[in-house]
Amino acid sequence: MFDNTLSIIAVLKAKEGKSEDLKSALQALILPTRKEEGCLDYALFQLQETPDVFYMRESWKGQEALDAHVGLPHFQMFVQQMDQLLAEPLQLVRLNTVEPA
């Protein structure tokens, strides 16, 4: 991995009755995002116990790669849908790698 790897979990909670719409919108991001030069990992998860909550696990070649992703048309299309799909603001949880002692 790269020294400046940026790993995050995006937490997205669907509005009532919008889980399938949110899931479809997130699925549409996966393939084009994985093709981005700065993307190291991009995987979608739906919580079993709370199916209206999704986690997107992401790793980037640094903040610049994430910033570039946010400006691309496929992500901007998702941004335009967020108000109608999300019950609360998108939460980004930044992660630090912990190596064995």
Side-chain angles (χ1 to χ4, degrees):
M1 286 237 166
F2 297 85
D3 290 339
N4 65 340
T5 298
L6 174 61
S7 296
I8 59 176
I9 301 287
V11 182
L12 306 105
K13 182 176 181 182
K15 284 185 177 178
E16 188 173 337
K18 295 289 187 177
S19 288
E20 286 303 312
D21 293 337
L22 177 57
K23 182 178 181 178
S24 294
L26 292 169
Q27 286 173 309
L29 291 172
I30 296 171
L31 293 180
T33 299
R34 286 180 179 170
K35 293 177 184 176
E36 293 175 37
E37 182 179 331
C39 181
L40 300 171
D41 179 44
Y42 203 73
L44 179 63
F45 301 88
Q46 185 174 19
L47 275 64
Q48 289 183 1
E49 295 81 15
T50 316
D52 61 336
V53 177
F54 296 86
Y55 287 178
M56 187 71 80
R57 185 186 68 211
E58 309 177 29
S59 288
W60 300 93
K61 293 179 183 177
Q63 185 64 49
E64 288 181 6
L66 176 59
D67 292 344
H69 164 68
V70 169
L72 292 173
H74 56 271
F75 190 79
Q76 284 302 308
M77 185 179 300
F78 176 74
V79 168
Q80 293 174 7
Q81 302 172 65
M82 285 175 39
D83 284 344
Q84 62 184 349
L85 296 176
L86 298 181
E88 52 195 48
L90 166 73
Q91 180 186 1
L92 292 180
V93 180
R94 293 179 178 261
L95 306 171
N96 291 323
T97 301
V98 178
E99 298 293 337

